[in-house]
Amino acid sequence: MSEPVAPAPPAAVQDAPRAERRPTLSHRLEYAALRGAIGGLATLPWRQATAVGAWLGRMGYAPAGIRRGVVERQVAAAFPELTPARVREIARASYESLGRTTVEAAIMPGLGKQGVLELFEQVDGWELLEAARAEGRGAIVVTGHLGNWELGGSYVAARGVPIDGVARQQGNPLFDRFLTSTRERLGMDVVWDGHAVRRTPRSLRENRVVAMVSDQGALGLASTYVPFFGRPAKTPRGPAVFALRLRVPILFAVAVRLPNGRFRLAFERVPVVDTGDRERDVDTIVATYTRMLEEWVRRYPEQYFWQHRRWKHQPADTPPHLREP
C-alpha cells in the first residue's frame, strides 16, 4: 500500500541553502557544549572514546530512561519469543551502541581516510558495488539505522568512490553545519532530502553512488507500507522509484560492529524487476530491502536504533494485534 508523494515546493524554495537558518542563543549554547565534549573525546584513544559513548548511552537507558518504554516494547514485539530479561538486555545494549555510534561519527574525521579504512576488519560484496558502477549508470545504496551507518558511507568515500549521502536537516543549524563538514572532510557529498529528487538523477548520470537510509517514515515523503518484523511499517520508496525509472542498480549495505570494536561491511544486490506495473514493482523492491535489513537486525538486534518508533505510521485498516506496540 503506497502513500502519494507530497507536492514539491517551487524550485526556488526547494533549492534554497537550508543551512543558512539563523541560530538562536539556545542553539549556540548547545553547540558550544557539544563541541567541547567532542574536543575532549577526540584527545582519547579510539577505544576509550567509544567506551565513553557506550557509558553515555547506558545512562540514557538508566537512570534517565529516555524512551526506554518505546525501546523495550518494540524489541519485545519484534522478538516475542524472548524473555523479559533478554528484552531488557537488548534494549540496554542498543543504547550503548547508539552512544558508541554517536561518538564514532563525531570523532571520525580525526582518523583520516586511512584510519577509517583500518577500522574495517571484513568487507563482503565489494565486488558487487564495483560491478554496479561498471554498468555506467551509477548505483543506489540503501541502508538502515543498524551498526554505524555513517561509518559505512565514509568507508566507501575513503576507497575513492564518489558518493552522495542523502540526509535530513538537523534541528540545530550549527550542529547541522558541523555534521555536514565532518561528512565532507571524509569525501562524502551531502544532499538534503528535500533536494534529492532534483539531485539524484544528476549524480547517477555522473556514475556516482547515492546512499540513502531508508527505515524511517516521514511526513511529506513518498512511502509505502511493507512488513518489518511482521508489522506494516511506513518505508521510503524513493530508492525503488529511482532504480526503476533510471534503470539503476540498487544494493543493500550494512556496517556492523564486531566484538573487537572493528567493523564488518556487507553489500547485497537488490533484485530490480520491471514488470510494467510500476506501483507493484516499487512495493516489491521496498519490501525486499526492508526484509534484508530485518535479517541483519535479527543477527545484531543490540545494534539497531530501536529508539525510533518504527511502527508509528500504519494503514488505517491494520489489525489491532499488528499495530504499534
Side-chain angles (χ1 to χ4, degrees):
M1 182 182 299
S2 301
E3 178 178 273
V5 64
V13 175
Q14 190 177 36
D15 286 339
R18 297 170 64 182
E20 291 183 358
R21 294 173 301 149
R22 295 189 64 177
T24 65
L25 176 60
S26 176
H27 287 149
R28 295 182 186 281
L29 293 174
E30 181 182 66
Y31 180 67
L34 177 69
R35 286 305 305 269
I38 292 173
L41 289 169
T43 65
L44 299 175
W46 177 268
R47 291 180 69 91
Q48 290 184 24
T50 61
V52 172
W55 178 82
L56 291 171
R58 192 161 55 249
M59 293 301 100
Y61 177 77
I66 302 170
R67 288 209 163 197
R68 183 168 60 195
V70 170
V71 173
E72 291 180 349
R73 286 194 300 272
Q74 293 196 134
V75 173
F79 301 97
E81 73 280 5
L82 297 182
T83 65
R86 178 57 179 152
V87 168
R88 290 191 296 271
E89 182 182 339
I90 291 175
R92 183 183 300 106
S94 77
Y95 280 81
E96 294 179 1
S97 178
L98 180 59
R100 288 185 187 276
T101 296
T102 302
V103 169
E104 288 163 353
I107 66 175
M108 188 168 43
L111 296 175
K113 293 184 179 181
Q114 186 58 39
V116 169
L117 296 177
E118 291 174 356
L119 283 178
F120 284 80
E121 182 170 297
Q122 181 178 347
V123 179
D124 301 318
W126 183 259
E127 70 280 2
L128 298 177
L129 181 62
E130 292 181 327
R133 292 195 65 237
E135 297 179 24
R137 297 190 298 273
I140 296 170
V141 173
V142 177
T143 189
H145 289 86
L146 178 68
N148 191 324
W149 52 94
E150 291 280 353
L151 188 56
S154 296
Y155 176 89
V156 174
R159 289 282 297 262
V161 176
I163 179 172
D164 294 350
V166 178
R168 298 181 66 182
Q169 189 179 31
Q170 303 296 312
N172 185 324
L174 295 173
F175 178 66
D176 200 52
R177 295 171 198 167
F178 169 74
L179 188 57
T180 298
S181 68
T182 62
R183 290 162 170 162
E184 292 177 341
R185 283 169 60 189
L186 290 166
M188 180 186 298
D189 285 353
V190 177
V191 177
W192 300 124
D193 53 3
H195 300 172
V197 171
R198 182 183 295 266
R199 283 281 305 274
T200 297
R202 184 192 317 165
S203 294
L204 294 172
R205 285 194 297 269
E206 296 171 357
N207 203 24
R208 299 177 65 86
V209 170
V210 178
M212 304 179 181
V213 183
S214 297
D215 62 340
Q216 292 188 2
L219 294 176
L221 192 64
S223 303
T224 190
Y225 296 98
V226 297
F228 185 64
F229 285 91
R231 297 171 187 267
K234 184 180 179 182
T235 307
R237 64 203 309 259
V241 172
F242 284 123
L244 285 166
R245 183 181 298 166
L246 303 176
R247 298 185 299 112
V248 173
I250 180 171
L251 295 91
F252 175 80
V254 64
V256 291
R257 192 177 294 104
L258 300 174
N260 63 4
R262 298 181 71 196
F263 288 83
R264 175 189 179 189
L265 178 63
F267 294 91
E268 302 175 55
R269 185 79 176 241
V270 179
V272 175
V273 179
D274 188 349
T275 69
D277 186 337
R278 181 56 55 87
E279 290 300 310
R280 183 175 180 179
D281 293 343
V282 166
D283 287 355
T284 297
I285 296 170
V286 176
T288 298
Y289 59 66
T290 301
R291 184 175 65 250
M292 290 176 170
L293 174 61
E294 179 180 325
E295 290 171 354
W296 280 93
V297 174
R298 288 185 179 278
R299 298 181 212 174
Y300 299 91
E302 298 89 351
Q303 296 187 40
Y304 191 58
F305 184 53
W306 295 107
Q307 289 76 10
H308 171 69
R309 292 171 59 187
R310 187 64 184 94
W311 297 287
K312 178 180 179 180
H313 302 288
Q314 294 182 313
D317 59 354
T318 301
H321 67 285
L322 296 180
R323 290 192 178 276
E324 181 184 24

